[in-house]
Amino acid sequence: MLKSNNRIVSAFFYILLATVVFFIILAVEVYPLRPVGAALDQWQVKKQTGWQDVRLPLVEMVSQEWEVFELRTSFQRVDADTLVIPRQSGNAIEVRLNGRLIYKLGDFSQPTANLWNYVHLIQLPEPLAEDNLLEIWIASSYYGSGLNSVPYLCRYEQCAGRVTFLNWIYSDAVNAIFGAGFITSLILIAMAFIRRQLMTTEFFIGLALLVGVFYLQDLPFRLTSGSLSTFLWLKKGFLFSGYLAALFFLCGIELQYWKRITLSRWLAILVVLVLLALIASPDIHSMGVIQTYANSGLLFFLIVIAAMIIRSKQRPSWMLFPATLLSLSILLLLITLPLGITWPIMIPPVFVMTTMMVGIRLILEYNQLFQENINLNRAKNIDPLTGALNRNSLPEVRARLHNHVVMIDLDGFKSINDRFGHAFGDQVLTEFAQIVRRNLRQNDLVIRYGGDEFVLVVNGLPKTQQGYAEIKSIIERIEKQYGGLHSDIFSDIVYEFSYGIAEIEKGIEEAIGAADQKMYLMKNTEKKIGA
């Protein structure tokens, strides 16, 4: 009962912490967008029928390959020398004051800049006229054109720090997440190769991070993306990498907590359909239409991922922190989109941070395994004859970091001792231990349990038929090499052993007991019975 209450308290703590962190991040991203000084919220937009009054924020979908969106407003002289345009949808921008070009960013002939998360700081010519006409032209080749936040006039010293901070948040902080995620992904993939097992949580989470950080590169400011054709393929790559990241992350979560891949197969079908649709889209406008529907599918699977983490009984309480962050980001998008609120989208960076948290946890657990091996290989835990770990090492083995144990008993070892002497028997034990170590992986353990009994502790293999088959393959290699021992000297000695395999569920001693029973069943029936 106490353990259950502690788990509930821990879960509540991580949910509350994630909620507080989420709203702090949201406030940091949104609050500085509020106008400081004279807000310019009444504008006119140019239509085919003439100028039409509008209020901001305003974003209109692009109806052709690319188009220019024209806005204008008027204001009287104020005590200001700077214009701030917090965020705009579009790929190139020009600002004119009283018919004079005062600011330009991007190329109107090839509008491929990434400006939607950029805050423009524009110094105005002085002195201002009594009545001023401000025009903003936005060229957009993708998704929409318009202003996501209200521009405002201020003194430079009043708003320069705020603009610098916002651009750091929208670009530099994202690039910092990119770097951390990229390094984490390489470490995770390297861990999978070290373990010589690719169908692991580490491998899939590493892949999710690797493509996820590429997906993240659609957020920071970029002055140009090359030609419209290059821009098209970049956007296709960003969208597809988002789907791949969700697919790989779901695979990793399923392997971690359910030891099998099920839902990921359905997402894989959707990923293939999205890829085919993206390849077939001839221009950016048609790809934008595809993205509208594709994002709905991606959003659904992100909801599934968050729900799977929250509902899993096997997940540790800390996993509720990234799951809550992801859930709140999705909820924010579902609320703001129908209301026309154009706040910064938080899902991409939060998803990458969620994946990175899982990845860092896996690295820490791997480091625990590594440290465990260091501790277990200290002199007090080493069998002096074979060089394997001895029975004293068992209390230091963390059962939750391993999956299976194998109990081995050398058949007919007493007759070898009686016939050839204990010195020869000791040599056989030593050579057997060497054969076992050659066939196990780096983090697997070899323990001399006593006499001619050995225990193998195996990690990184799923508790499935596939994992059992892998262990059987290892045992068969050991059998073959042990069976050929001294064959060129003694043709009448038969080297064999009996064994039992058991999954580690509660504790290492309990698993050894189960494996021991299966080993004796095999020895008595002369049949190899696995777990």
Side-chain angles (χ1 to χ4, degrees), residues 374-419:
I374 293 176
N375 295 335
L376 290 173
N377 280 284
R378 290 173 182 169
K380 68 183 181 72
N381 293 326
I382 299 297
D383 176 56
L385 175 64
T386 63
L389 298 170
N390 60 32
R391 196 165 181 167
N392 297 330
S393 64
L394 285 174
E396 294 189 45
V397 176
R398 295 179 177 88
R400 66 183 181 83
L401 299 179
H402 302 279
N403 306 106
H404 299 84
V405 296
V406 183
M407 189 72 179
I408 294 177
D409 182 85
L410 304 184
D411 296 334
F413 184 75
K414 184 179 182 301
S415 64
I416 293 175
N417 266 339
D418 293 342
R419 182 179 173 187

Side-chain angles (χ1 to χ4, degrees), residues 272-286:
V272 171
L273 293 177
V274 170
L275 176 61
L276 294 175
L278 289 175
I279 293 174
S281 57
D283 52 50
I284 293 178
H285 174 64
S286 60

Side-chain angles (χ1 to χ4, degrees), residues 191-266:
M191 283 167 50
F193 276 99
I194 290 172
R195 289 187 172 190
R196 293 183 288 179
Q197 185 75 24
L198 295 186
M199 290 294 291
T200 60
T201 301
E202 292 88 353
F203 184 67
F204 282 110
I205 296 298
L207 288 179
L209 267 178
L210 193 61
V211 294
V213 294
F214 178 72
Y215 174 54
L216 205 61
Q217 286 304 293
D218 196 26
L219 297 183
F221 166 75
R222 190 168 55 252
L223 186 58
T224 180
S225 302
S227 66
L228 287 172
S229 175
T230 303
F231 186 54
L232 170 63
W233 284 102
L234 266 179
K235 285 293 184 181
K236 288 180 178 181
F238 291 142
L239 179 58
F240 185 58
S241 64
Y243 264 90
L244 277 182
L247 172 61
F248 291 143
F249 185 77
L250 185 57
C251 287
I253 291 298
E254 286 194 299
L255 284 175
Q256 179 75 358
Y257 299 117
W258 289 274
K259 310 303 179 186
R260 66 184 184 276
I261 292 177
T262 304
L263 285 176
S264 304
R265 297 175 182 176
W266 295 102

Side-chain angles (χ1 to χ4, degrees), residues 81-318:
D81 61 1
T82 303
L83 168 67
V84 176
I85 304 177
R87 291 173 65 243
Q88 46 109 147
S89 291
N91 307 105
I93 184 172
E94 288 185 358
V95 180
R96 288 175 170 80
L97 181 64
N98 300 324
R100 174 187 170 189
L101 180 66
I102 61 170
Y103 182 77
K104 179 178 180 180
L105 202 60
D107 184 357
F108 268 64
S109 63
Q110 296 279 333
T112 61
N114 214 43
L115 305 179
W116 62 295
N117 269 339
Y118 186 71
V119 182
H120 305 270
L121 184 71
I122 307 165
Q123 288 197 280
L124 302 173
E126 292 185 305
L128 291 174
E130 283 295 330
D131 295 302
N132 300 274
L133 178 65
L134 180 66
E135 300 171 277
I136 298 179
W137 293 9
I138 301 172
S140 182
S141 57
Y142 178 73
Y143 193 69
S145 292
L147 297 175
N148 296 301
S149 300
V150 176
Y152 55 91
L153 302 168
C154 61
R155 300 297 301 178
Y156 180 84
E157 60 274 11
Q158 185 182 14
C159 55
R162 174 181 292 215
V163 171
T164 301
F165 174 74
L166 282 170
N167 283 332
W168 181 85
I169 289 291
Y170 295 149
S171 289
D172 296 343
V174 170
N175 285 329
I177 296 173
F178 168 87
F182 182 71
I183 293 171
T184 305
S185 72
L186 295 183
I187 295 173
L188 288 167
I189 293 172
M191 283 167 50
F193 276 99
I194 290 172
R195 289 187 172 190
R196 293 183 288 179
Q197 185 75 24
L198 295 186
M199 290 294 291
T200 60
T201 301
E202 292 88 353
F203 184 67
F204 282 110
I205 296 298
L207 288 179
L209 267 178
L210 193 61
V211 294
V213 294
F214 178 72
Y215 174 54
L216 205 61
Q217 286 304 293
D218 196 26
L219 297 183
F221 166 75
R222 190 168 55 252
L223 186 58
T224 180
S225 302
S227 66
L228 287 172
S229 175
T230 303
F231 186 54
L232 170 63
W233 284 102
L234 266 179
K235 285 293 184 181
K236 288 180 178 181
F238 291 142
L239 179 58
F240 185 58
S241 64
Y243 264 90
L244 277 182
L247 172 61
F248 291 143
F249 185 77
L250 185 57
C251 287
I253 291 298
E254 286 194 299
L255 284 175
Q256 179 75 358
Y257 299 117
W258 289 274
K259 310 303 179 186
R260 66 184 184 276
I261 292 177
T262 304
L263 285 176
S264 304
R265 297 175 182 176
W266 295 102
L267 180 55
I269 295 173
L270 182 59
V271 169
V272 171
L273 293 177
V274 170
L275 176 61
L276 294 175
L278 289 175
I279 293 174
S281 57
D283 52 50
I284 293 178
H285 174 64
S286 60
M287 198 207 76
V289 175
I290 293 171
Q291 182 175 5
T292 302
Y293 295 100
N295 281 346
S296 301
L298 182 58
L299 188 64
F300 171 76
F301 275 99
L302 290 176
I303 293 172
V304 170
I305 289 172
M308 286 178 64
I309 296 175
I310 292 172
R311 294 192 61 185
S312 171
K313 295 180 180 179
Q314 298 176 325
R315 54 113 181 96
S317 297
W318 70 267

